[in-house]
Amino acid sequence: MFTIITGAQFGDEGKGKVVDLMAGDYDIVARFQGGDNAGHTVKVKDEVYKLHLIPSGFLLDSRVLIGPGTVLNPEVMVEEIRMLEEAGVQVSAKKLGIDGKTSIIMPYHIELDGLREASRPEKIGTTKRGIGFAYIDKIARDEVHFSDLIDEKRLMQRLSDLASQKEEEIKAMGGDPTIVTESSLVERYISLGRKLAPYLADVSYEINTALDEGRSVLAEGAQGSHLDVIHGTQKFVTSSSTIAGSACAYLGVGPTRVNEVLAIVKSYITRVGAGPLPTEQEGDAGQHLHDVGHEFGTTTGRSRRCGWFDMPLAKKSVYLNGYTSIALTKLDVLTGLDPVKICVGYELDGKVIDYPPEDTSKLARCVPVYEDMDGWDTDLSSVVGYEDLPQKAREYVKRLENLMGVPVKYISVGPGREQTFMK
Ligand code: IMP
Ligand code: MG
């Protein structure tokens, strides 16, 4: 069984919680793209875990893998391992594997990300974790691989080959290049490499052999479909491909092996950072979604922009990912809003369209066309089954399901593991 999970909107749909719930059924959970720009909060009993790199399935029995398409900050990784071990979760080499071809995020990537963002006339609002610059180096073939990091000689050679170029890049952007030349850099990274060396893995081989042996694999996406570097709302996107097909490419698994593609869809929409969000609400409804939904970024603490459910964007996600089912999250947040609006189309240049225009600047000019649904007042946080939902909430779920044309399989009504149920 090979299942891919991706976010259908702009990230923060609640993937972590759904993966955490499903991971019990999977032998392997693998991250396929992104880096510590992602963040998920997983709540188990009364403990809250904030993770950026380690997949959510970690807290269960599955083996977790970091695929070669990700960009890994070893300092963050070592810190997450330390935090989990402190909380009593053992992180053995049996538990965690990191692919040898994973690109390493170096301090100069973070420096360059900050410098570039500061100099951009129109900001993207990156998380300043060096993600984009680590991917630039991957494509330019100037990256440090995980296999380099864990081999002292190779690491010293690699960093010495790259030093002058990185120094020049930082200087050219008006930054302080001592971050590249300081003598402690090599030592620090050698030490991080030593700590992470036991986790070396060949992710494509592991996943394919696991599937051959009838074991099950869950590929966990980060960010969301409209932040995809190719199909998203350029240039307000991340620097990796976030859609389901990319799980195959990044993990090295053929598309013929995919059984299920699960969408994580928030019951409304949020976005962190810049870029168009046609249904954004700045008044009372937006405040309600923000406050009740606790819409703050896990990684940056920034306030998330909030709006009504955007069906044209959701339809595009269905096309981009080929979803077979949906997990609808945060339905409880809509309690108390009346009406609950669904954006079913946009008005653009005097025409009504039901699919996003091909260009981001056109999307920014789209005016939503709404359909009003009746709201409900009942607190949903202790609902444990679909039939227990108030009728108006079920009507809302059914309407989204019909418009997207994909069945809703899970519904979540709160952050706890027990607050997600099968429809
Ligand atoms: P970067 O990935 O740090 O380069 O940021 C590029 C854009 O993606 C910015 O708008 C970020 O706010 C957004 N972004 C990156 N990671 C996440 C995430 O995990 N959730 C939501 N937005 C994200
Ligand atoms: Mg997140």
Side-chain angles (χ1 to χ4, degrees), residues 72-74 77-78 81 93 96-104 106 143-159 186-202:
L72 177 131
N73 181 327
M77 193 57 162
V78 164
I81 292 172
L96 171 68
I98 303 171
D99 195 276
K101 293 195 169 104
T102 306
S103 285
I104 300 302
M106 298 296 294
E143 83 276 43
V144 173
H145 277 156
F146 184 62
S147 290
D148 298 322
L149 180 77
I150 61 176
D151 178 327
E152 288 178 29
K153 279 210 188 100
R154 263 172 73 172
L155 181 65
M156 283 194 282
Q157 185 63 51
R158 196 78 185 123
L159 289 178
V186 178
E187 273 157 53
R188 250 169 65 215
Y189 279 76
I190 286 176
S191 149
L192 289 166
R194 281 198 196 123
K195 287 183 186 145
L196 295 175
Y199 303 110
L200 177 67
D202 181 341

Side-chain angles (χ1 to χ4, degrees), residues 111-387:
E111 182 71 11
L112 288 165
D113 192 355
L115 289 167
R116 183 69 192 106
E117 185 69 3
S119 72
R120 276 191 182 106
E122 194 181 22
K123 312 285 177 214
I124 295 175
T126 75
T127 60
K128 298 191 181 142
R129 300 296 165 113
I131 308 295
F133 283 83
Y135 276 113
I136 288 175
D137 276 357
K138 185 192 268 304
I139 305 301
R141 283 136 302 159
D142 285 332
E143 83 276 43
V144 173
H145 277 156
F146 184 62
S147 290
D148 298 322
L149 180 77
I150 61 176
D151 178 327
E152 288 178 29
K153 279 210 188 100
R154 263 172 73 172
L155 181 65
M156 283 194 282
Q157 185 63 51
R158 196 78 185 123
L159 289 178
S160 115
D161 288 350
L162 292 167
S164 60
Q165 179 203 334
K166 293 297 153 196
E167 247 182 286
E168 286 312 312
E169 285 176 25
I170 292 177
K171 266 196 237 158
M173 284 166 110
D176 175 6
T178 49
I179 195 159
V180 183
T181 48
E182 64 178 321
S183 57
S184 61
L185 180 80
V186 178
E187 273 157 53
R188 250 169 65 215
Y189 279 76
I190 286 176
S191 149
L192 289 166
R194 281 198 196 123
K195 287 183 186 145
L196 295 175
Y199 303 110
L200 177 67
D202 181 341
V203 165
S204 167
Y205 180 75
E206 259 200 55
I207 292 179
N208 280 286
T209 49
L211 293 172
D212 284 346
E213 288 160 12
R215 285 182 287 140
S216 52
V217 179
L218 183 66
E220 174 182 345
Q223 289 86 42
S225 300
H226 299 295
L227 291 175
D228 184 278
V229 68
I230 298 166
H231 299 282
T233 54
Q234 276 84 346
K235 61 188 183 335
F236 308 100
V237 290
T238 190
S239 34
S240 61
S241 179
T242 55
I243 58 177
S246 299
C248 290
Y250 282 132
L251 292 173
V253 185
T256 48
R257 309 207 78 157
V258 180
N259 301 99
E260 192 187 10
V261 185
L262 177 69
I264 313 297
V265 178
K266 204 183 275 194
S267 302
Y268 47 100
I269 201 164
T270 61
R271 175 164 204 167
V272 215
L277 187 65
T279 62
E280 184 166 12
Q281 295 298 304
E282 273 155 6
D284 291 349
Q287 199 63 46
H288 172 109
L289 296 171
H290 183 271
D291 295 349
V292 181
H294 307 288
E295 295 294 353
F296 292 96
T298 318
T299 302
T300 54
R302 286 180 290 179
S303 220
R304 294 181 187 141
R305 301 154 62 197
C306 299
W308 296 116
F309 194 95
D310 188 318
M311 193 54 74
L313 286 177
K315 281 187 183 160
K316 178 159 179 157
S317 293
V318 171
Y319 280 173
L320 293 178
N321 292 275
Y323 291 129
T324 56
S325 56
I326 290 170
L328 187 68
T329 63
K330 292 194 138 177
L331 186 62
D332 55 301
V333 174
L334 297 178
T335 294
L337 289 171
D338 197 4
V340 179
K341 290 174 180 282
I342 302 174
C343 163
V344 290
Y346 305 133
E347 220 182 277
L348 178 67
D349 301 331
K351 274 201 205 131
V352 174
I353 49 177
D354 65 358
Y355 195 80
E358 77 295 342
D359 177 61
T360 304
S361 65
K362 285 187 191 164
L363 182 65
R365 290 194 286 113
C366 281
V367 178
V369 176
Y370 289 111
E371 181 177 296
D372 285 2
M373 303 279 297
D374 290 339
W376 59 89
D377 279 327
T378 333
D379 171 26
L380 305 186
S381 58
S382 53
V383 169
V384 291
Y386 182 65
E387 297 308 323

Side-chain angles (χ1 to χ4, degrees), residues 11-12 15 37-40 298-299 304:
D12 309 310
K15 287 180 290 292
N37 49 348
H40 41 258
T298 318
T299 302
R304 294 181 187 141

